[in-house]
Amino acid sequence: MRILKDSFIYLVGELINKSLPFLLLPYLTRKLGTEGFGELSYYLTILALLSICIGLSQEGAVTRYFYFYGNKAIDLIVRAGYLYNILFSTVCLIISWILKSEIIAYITLIATFNSFLSVQLALRQAQKQPIPYIMIQFLSSVSLVVFTVLMLEYVAGDRVVNRLLALLLSSALVFFITYLFINKSFKISRKFSLENYKSALVYIFSFGIPLILHQLSFFMKGQVDRIFIYKLYSATELGVYSAGVQIASVLTIFFMALNKAITPYYYEGLKNKELTVEKIKKYTLVSFVFISLPAFICYFLPNRLFVWFLGVGFGESQFYTVLFLIGYGLTLPYLILANYLFFYGKNKLIAGITFSTSVIYIILLIILSELSIKFIPFSLIFSNLLIVVILWILVSKNQET
């Protein structure tokens, strides 16, 4: 019962954390317009890329350390990770100062505090403390909404920059609240030697660096298309495109939150031999019904609903939403199949497949983006379908062995 209760709390926390910023979407599209929203999407793409290098999967390293070695020196791992974060971010800030790029500086600081906060969330989850976890998520969402409205309504200047400042203020505030008030069980009271820090950094690098390739794969599929569009098309077209992507991404958010809640039971079923490969393959085929349904419903919605929701000029976002609902919908069969391979320790194999299909995605993106912006979503659909087919074959072969 506790597992079920905690899983439900995590699921609700994830949905709340993602739903409030999503509900802010109509406000942003109206305040920024198609061009401003497109420009913001481009900067958020840079943020996603920089976050990979600054974060270095520290939250995963902390979680793994906690389960493998316990609570004995977890504060050392956290402090060493924060030290790396600060040093890397300082280099980025120096570069932004040399380039005289105010926006790069803001993006660096946002990535820094987001990484700090993700480690704090990992600590809560490792300790099986769902209530503090959901409190942090809720604070993040509410503060982001509040700061966004304040910055766009009452602060003069470039609205895109003000939105970035809202992201920075929100992440910084929630981190300090979390660290000073919610984080009481991890108050630092011990001193560690330089050798301790070296060992901790080696652990973080050995865990995080191999995962850069894996994260870059998801970055390529989830963000790099904005860069192509920003260079080949207008910011207005990017804004319309990005709005459609944002709406469709709700499906991915739901699948990932559901996966976080269900994975323990999935693994338990495999361990007890109750969940067989045949059942997994059957669930995978059934999942295709759920993939097509949201896109089918969205296709037949009146276009005026999109104009009402997003604002004038965003009517064509419906086209992109339908296609990305199909592309993102393929996340469901991917998770059903990939979790089986993760259970049997096929991490490197999955990472290699993910990266390979991401390369194929980039090749398709280069070709299709030259033809028309409307062809770009098909590169995601094809590459995601390809990875599902490959995983299906691997799961079948793993059963035979």
Side-chain angles (χ1 to χ4, degrees):
M1 287 298 295
R2 181 177 177 181
I3 293 174
L4 184 61
K5 178 183 175 182
D6 288 357
S7 298
F8 177 75
I9 291 174
Y10 285 127
L11 177 60
V12 171
E14 288 294 320
L15 292 176
I16 290 175
N17 181 48
K18 306 299 183 184
S19 62
L20 286 180
F22 172 77
L23 294 175
L24 197 64
L25 181 59
Y27 175 78
L28 285 174
T29 53
R30 284 170 171 80
K31 281 293 179 181
L32 301 179
T34 53
E35 184 175 352
F37 193 77
E39 187 179 350
L40 175 64
S41 299
Y42 176 71
Y43 292 137
L44 292 180
T45 300
I46 298 175
L47 171 62
L49 180 59
L50 193 58
S51 296
I52 293 174
C53 300
I54 288 179
L56 206 64
S57 300
Q58 289 177 46
E59 68 279 2
V62 167
T63 302
R64 182 183 182 279
Y65 187 92
F66 187 92
Y67 282 117
F68 267 76
Y69 306 108
N71 193 26
K72 186 176 181 181
I74 192 69
D75 51 339
L76 170 63
I77 302 301
V78 172
R79 290 170 68 179
Y82 282 178
L83 177 62
Y84 159 79
N85 191 322
I86 292 170
L87 292 175
F88 192 95
S89 300
T90 301
V91 173
C92 293
L93 289 173
I94 292 172
I95 293 173
S96 67
W97 176 72
I98 294 172
L99 297 176
K100 297 181 180 179
S101 176
E102 178 185 1
I103 288 183
I104 295 298
Y106 292 151
I107 289 174
T108 298
L109 291 173
I110 294 169
T112 299
F113 284 108
N114 281 347
S115 176
F116 286 163
L117 195 56
S118 65
V119 170
Q120 293 299 315
L121 285 168
L123 288 171
R124 304 277 72 75
Q125 195 167 9
Q127 282 197 309
K128 297 180 181 178
Q129 295 180 349
I131 300 302
Y133 181 93
I134 197 173
M135 283 175 58
I136 297 171
Q137 294 278 57
F138 182 73
L139 281 174
S140 298
S141 299
V142 171
S143 64
L144 178 57
V145 172
V146 171
F147 278 120
T148 297
V149 173
L150 289 176
M151 294 300 297
L152 295 184
E153 294 291 341
Y154 302 107
V155 179
D158 189 320
R159 287 180 174 177
V160 174
V161 175
N162 286 349
R163 166 63 172 171
L164 293 175
L165 283 172
L167 290 167
L168 173 57
L169 290 171
S170 171
S171 57
L173 176 66
V174 176
F175 166 70
F176 285 121
I177 290 175
T178 301
Y179 193 78
L180 296 175
F181 299 104
I182 301 178
N183 195 39
K184 292 180 181 179
S185 61
F186 283 100
K187 288 291 183 183
I188 295 169
S189 57
R190 289 169 288 182
K191 293 182 179 179
F192 295 98
S193 66
L194 184 60
E195 287 299 318
N196 292 141
Y197 275 102
K198 285 182 179 179
S199 299
L201 285 171
V202 167
Y203 167 76
I204 290 171
F205 292 152
S206 62
F207 182 90
I209 291 176
L211 288 177
I212 289 179
L213 190 65
H214 189 62
Q215 290 186 325
L216 283 175
S217 301
F218 285 102
F219 169 78
M220 285 191 286
K221 281 191 176 182
Q223 302 286 342
V224 80
D225 54 344
R226 279 45 151 216
I227 297 175
F228 278 83
I229 296 172
Y230 192 79
K231 300 300 181 183
L232 294 173
Y233 300 93
S234 67
T236 298
E237 289 174 295
L238 175 57
V240 174
Y241 177 95
S242 298
V245 174
Q246 287 281 87
I247 295 174
S249 65
V250 173
L251 193 61
T252 304
I253 293 167
F254 176 77
F255 286 155
M256 297 305 291
L258 191 64
N259 182 63
K260 181 174 286 189
I262 291 176
T263 297
Y265 303 100
Y266 186 105
Y267 285 174
E268 186 177 2
L270 288 173
K271 183 178 180 181
N272 298 332
K273 308 296 182 182
E274 295 174 358
L275 183 61
T276 63
V277 169
E278 290 305 318
K279 286 184 178 180
I280 291 171
K281 291 165 74 174
K282 182 180 74 173
Y283 296 149
T284 302
L285 292 175
V286 171
S287 70
F288 279 87
V289 176
F290 295 96
I291 292 171
S292 57
L293 188 59
F296 181 80
I297 294 172
C298 182
Y299 179 80
F300 286 102
L301 286 176
N303 185 257
R304 63 178 180 271
L305 287 178
F306 281 80
V307 177
W308 169 79
F309 184 66
L310 298 171
V312 178
F314 286 92
E316 287 193 21
S317 294
Q318 182 176 12
F319 172 82
Y320 299 109
T321 303
V322 171
L323 292 179
F324 276 103
L325 281 172
I326 297 172
Y328 289 148
L330 289 164
T331 303
L332 182 57
Y334 166 81
L335 290 172
I336 294 173
L337 294 168
N339 280 337
Y340 177 85
L341 296 174
F342 276 128
F343 179 79
Y344 287 104
K346 308 292 185 179
N347 300 35
K348 291 182 179 179
L349 179 62
I350 294 175
I353 295 168
T354 305
F355 184 76
S356 299
T357 54
S358 297
V359 172
I360 294 173
Y361 166 77
I362 294 296
I363 294 171
L364 289 171
L365 182 61
I366 292 171
I367 298 170
L368 296 177
S369 61
E370 292 287 347
L371 299 175
S372 170
I373 187 175
K374 290 189 175 182
F375 290 155
I376 291 177
F378 290 100
S379 56
L380 178 70
I381 293 172
F382 179 81
S383 59
N384 280 357
L385 183 59
L386 179 61
I387 194 172
V388 169
V389 172
I390 293 172
L391 290 178
W392 175 283
I393 294 170
L394 288 173
V395 168
S396 300
K397 285 186 176 180
N398 196 70
Q399 178 189 24
E400 295 172 2
T401 57

